[in-house]
Amino acid sequence: MATVHVVLAQASGRSSTGATQPVINSVEVAADTMTSSGTSAQSSAAAPADGWEGLFWEVTVSGGNIFGKFGSNPTAASDTGVFITDGQTRNFAVSGPSEKFAIKDA
């Protein structure tokens, strides 16, 4: 069982010199904290149907490893998606409208 924090945000920050920063914005579009289990569960955070381009997921895992899956109605499983280990924070670009993220214990 792991605690998984999911943030959906844009990446449009600029430094004082005007250069782009490779990080998400400080104000999120949506966020959700979940507890993983042996059954796949979807985050309440979801990409919008319109305006999803340029959004990113930031997923932080604490307390265990998880399997994750993105999609319009995703199911996390051991044979598909992503594997995120305890203590990792990973970033992913949103791939389509209404995208969600599902998690399951690894």
Side-chain angles (χ1 to χ4, degrees):
M1 181 167 47
T3 299
V4 181
H5 188 68
V6 179
V7 176
L8 182 64
Q10 284 189 306
S12 61
R14 301 222 176 249
S15 71
S16 60
T17 63
T20 57
Q21 298 293 301
V23 295
I24 62 173
N25 291 354
S26 60
V27 178
E28 74 279 1
V29 172
D32 189 18
T33 300
M34 309 166 62
T35 301
S36 66
S37 71
T39 303
S40 179
Q42 293 181 7
S43 170
S44 64
D50 294 314
W52 58 270
E53 298 90 345
L55 294 178
F56 292 85
W57 294 100
E58 181 176 83
V59 181
T60 302
V61 177
S62 177
N65 303 329
I66 66 158
F67 293 111
K69 180 71 175 175
F70 294 96
S72 59
N73 188 23
T75 300
S78 61
D79 58 351
T80 184
V82 297
F83 176 71
I84 305 175
T85 60
D86 181 19
Q88 278 192 316
T89 296
R90 303 268 308 271
N91 293 286
F92 304 90
V94 172
S95 297
S98 305
E99 184 175 81
K100 297 176 186 173
F101 183 61
I103 63 170
K104 177 184 179 301
D105 284 343

